[in-house]
Amino acid sequence: MRAIVVGAGIGGLAATLSLRRAGHEVTLVERTPRFAEVGAGIQLAPNATRVLRRLGVLDAVAAWAVRPARVCFRTWSDGTDVCSHLLGREVEEEFGAPYLLLHRADLHQVLAAAVPSGSVRLDTTVVGVDQDDGAAYVTTASGERLGADVVVAADGIRSAARQWLFGADEALFSHTAAYRALLPAAAVADLDLPELGVWMGPGRHFVHYWVRRGELLNTVAVFTAEAAQESWTARAEPGEQLCEFAGWDPRVLGVLERAGQVLRYGIHTRAPLARWNVGRVTLLGDSAHATVPFLAQGAAQAIMDAAVLGEVLTDAAPADVPAALDRYVHRRLATATSSQAGAARAGEDFHLPDGPAAEARDARMAAYAAGHRFMPQAAGWTADAGDGPTAPV
């Protein structure tokens, strides 16, 4: 069969590799003129890395990554340890794939390198999608009409294809924003920082972990906000992050103070859909289920989408596509929607005000850690290519 994938982000690249692995001819259409380094850190749990192994790219991805020994949860004001969970060798033995920390651009580069250049059309903007009984089509800004047996819209949180399929519906501001920065390892060598740390406080939380083989510290300082631009490149005002996190543990403030370029990113999401597909066209990744990042599952869920899409279309004939896409959505929608809801609840949990509610959260988390080696959401890591629930924190 012939497939067109719209959007060359992580989801679109993974979908391209998965469909090629299923034996199909794939054209990947991307509006930007070249692949560029964007974003910052990303966490990949075993549900995602297991798929990357199947796609033949895990070793190349792991070569850029850090494998943390554990994740530590701490209180905001003095860094008191609430609990920790194992993430290293024990996770790989239990779930059959590693937990990796890496720069988003490094993951993107590995995935892009695995797609033959002849299958990619850069600098090509899609302005419409339509279909008939025998094929689906995308129309480009230059007036071309490209046809295929299936069209996969992986065009991100601001998906135009989502509106073409299901009508107008805007990205939703989560009332949270994040300061993002990358610091050289030498700049924070004197600070007592765990490999992967989550600091919880009133209306805010702070996450840090190593990326790019440990050369850089990725930091994400999340705070409640009335409004914020959804942009990977908008810069914060000098010192703005220090004012927002005034009074936090000196180690957190030390990281924020030493950060050079700090980006201010408004966190948006999309309302869950009852379905992602119409006929021969389907959504994938953020276009279907963009989520807040508080379970670190956004990219993983897109990669899982790609795996299931490839499975349902393996050995499929053109006439089978609409029914196969129904199976894809049936297998993935509940899990992705559960992950969205769990991530939102995790953010609320991290941001509880000091007092009885936060004390109860800390006690609950500590009690869970005393009886379980792995985080609650690890229940979703056992799923093979998307079957099974994703538990909230």
Side-chain angles (χ1 to χ4, degrees):
M1 291 199 309
R2 294 171 301 136
I4 294 173
V5 176
V6 181
I10 289 170
L13 288 166
T16 299
L17 294 175
S18 188
L19 290 169
R20 284 178 53 82
R21 183 174 181 270
H24 305 309
E25 176 188 332
V26 187
T27 300
L28 176 60
V29 180
E30 166 59 33
R31 64 182 177 82
T32 61
R34 60 187 179 87
F35 293 133
E37 180 171 309
V38 294
I42 191 169
Q43 301 181 46
L44 292 180
N47 56 339
T49 56
R50 188 181 300 114
V51 174
L52 296 181
R53 176 182 291 131
R54 193 175 306 149
L55 296 178
V57 296
L58 179 58
D59 288 346
V61 170
W64 287 97
V66 171
R67 302 187 185 215
R70 62 180 59 243
V71 55
C72 299
F73 293 86
R74 292 180 166 183
T75 56
W76 69 280
S77 57
D78 59 7
T80 298
D81 285 326
V82 174
C83 69
S84 65
H85 292 282
L86 296 172
L87 287 179
R89 173 178 50 80
E90 295 86 355
V91 159
E92 188 161 5
E93 291 174 352
E94 179 74 17
F95 299 100
Y99 196 105
L100 300 180
L101 310 174
L102 65 160
H103 196 297
R104 181 178 294 266
D106 296 335
L107 173 61
H108 191 271
Q109 179 181 352
V110 170
L111 294 174
V115 176
S117 59
S119 298
V120 181
R121 291 192 51 163
L122 298 173
D123 202 17
T124 303
T125 299
V126 173
V127 296
V129 174
D130 66 289
Q131 59 186 307
D132 54 34
D133 290 341
Y137 307 91
V138 300
T139 302
T140 72
S142 65
E144 283 186 280
R145 193 164 183 252
L146 310 175
D149 300 299
V150 59
V151 169
V152 180
D155 53 341
I157 191 169
R158 301 289 180 181
S159 171
R162 177 174 171 135
Q163 296 199 37
W164 298 331
L165 292 177
F166 301 111
D169 112 288
E170 298 296 325
L172 305 174
F173 181 52
S174 69
H175 297 287
T176 56
Y179 298 114
R180 298 179 180 269
L182 290 163
L183 290 82
V188 293
D190 61 315
L191 299 178
D192 175 26
L193 299 175
E195 293 172 293
L196 171 51
V198 181
W199 306 62
M200 304 175 291
R204 296 158 182 79
H205 72 278
F206 180 70
V207 181
H208 58 79
Y209 52 88
W210 301 104
V211 299
R212 195 160 285 171
R213 307 188 186 103
E215 298 168 10
L216 298 172
L217 183 73
N218 178 69
T219 67
V220 186
V222 180
F223 59 100
T224 55
E226 291 301 315
Q229 181 182 1
E230 194 266 317
S231 168
W232 283 106
T233 59
R235 296 192 181 189
E237 295 295 324
E240 179 183 343
Q241 73 278 11
L242 293 172
C243 296
E244 191 66 50
F245 282 78
W248 277 56
D249 184 282
R251 288 163 291 185
V252 172
L253 293 176
V255 173
L256 293 175
E257 185 176 24
R258 299 174 195 186
Q261 178 177 283
V262 178
L263 303 180
R264 192 178 196 271
Y265 176 83
I267 299 172
H268 289 67
T269 183
R270 297 304 293 256
L273 291 169
R275 61 181 303 169
W276 303 341
N277 63 310
V278 175
R280 296 177 173 275
V281 182
T282 190
L283 305 179
L284 180 144
D286 281 355
S287 67
H289 49 76
T291 181
V292 293
F294 308 144
L295 280 183
Q297 274 287 308
Q301 291 299 310
I303 291 169
M304 299 286 278
D305 289 350
V308 174
L309 183 68
E311 284 191 9
V312 300
L313 289 173
T314 297
D315 298 326
D320 302 331
V321 168
L325 294 184
D326 284 343
R327 293 195 299 274
Y328 153 68
V329 174
H330 178 75
R331 286 182 57 183
R332 287 293 303 140
L333 189 144
T335 300
T337 302
S338 174
S339 184
Q340 281 184 295
R345 287 194 297 270
E348 294 170 0
D349 223 24
F350 294 161
H351 290 189
L352 289 173
D354 286 343
E359 292 167 5
R361 173 203 64 203
D362 293 351
R364 169 176 53 82
M365 293 178 69
Y368 186 91
H372 300 81
R373 296 193 299 165
F374 309 117
M375 292 184 289
Q377 60 262 40
W381 301 348
T382 61
D384 185 47
D387 299 321
T390 299
V393 169

